[in-house]
Amino acid sequence: QVQLVESGGGLVRAGGSLRLSCAASGRTSNHMGWFRRAPGKDREFVAAINWSEGNTDYTNSVKGRFTISRDNTMNTVYLQMDSLKPEDTAVYYCAADGSTSVYMYWGQGTQVTVSS
């Protein structure tokens, strides 16, 4: 089992920044990622990081604006979000694969609202 606790969401104006955190406990994971679900839309992939090598991947719409990183000592993954846009408004979820091939474990979600 992997337990994930997210924090850092909130309300920000367009062009502003927020940093999300996700503290993990339990079994180790190969990959951790961030997903989001906007109102009326399906959940979508945002970013992911390989826990041991630090390789990252992003959806095109956030490249150059969002940065995923991890702190191995704290077992925490971060999502730094800069130049936020109203279309980034969503509930953001942290996910972990628990050393499997799929994201099996999910956080409770944190709301990010970007006003225009």
Side-chain angles (χ1 to χ4, degrees):
Q1 291 285 338
V2 177
Q3 292 77 43
L4 303 172
V5 179
E6 301 142 341
S7 61
L11 172 64
V12 65
R13 289 188 175 183
S17 298
L18 284 173
R19 189 177 81 155
L20 306 182
S21 300
C22 176
S25 60
R27 64 186 295 177
T28 59
S29 292
N30 294 324
H31 295 87
M32 291 187 66
W34 290 95
F35 291 73
R36 66 187 179 187
R37 187 191 301 271
K41 295 186 177 181
D42 293 333
R43 184 177 63 197
E44 67 169 344
F45 168 78
V46 176
I49 188 165
N50 177 283
W51 194 258
S52 59
E53 299 176 3
N55 298 332
T56 58
D57 189 24
Y58 299 91
T59 191
N60 286 338
S61 63
V62 308
K63 285 181 180 178
R65 300 189 299 121
F66 290 11
T67 304
I68 189 170
S69 62
R70 89 274 194 229
D71 184 330
N72 293 50
T73 60
M74 297 291 291
N75 287 331
T76 299
V77 64
Y78 304 98
L79 186 67
Q80 177 67 40
M81 305 185 294
D82 299 319
S83 302
L84 282 161
K85 304 176 181 180
E87 50 264 43
D88 295 317
T89 295
V91 178
Y92 284 70
Y93 298 90
C94 176
D97 66 8
S99 298
T100 67
S101 60
V102 297
Y103 287 107
M104 295 182 61
Y105 303 99
W106 297 85
Q108 79 281 3
T110 185
Q111 176 71 47
V112 171
T113 303
V114 184
S115 63
S116 57

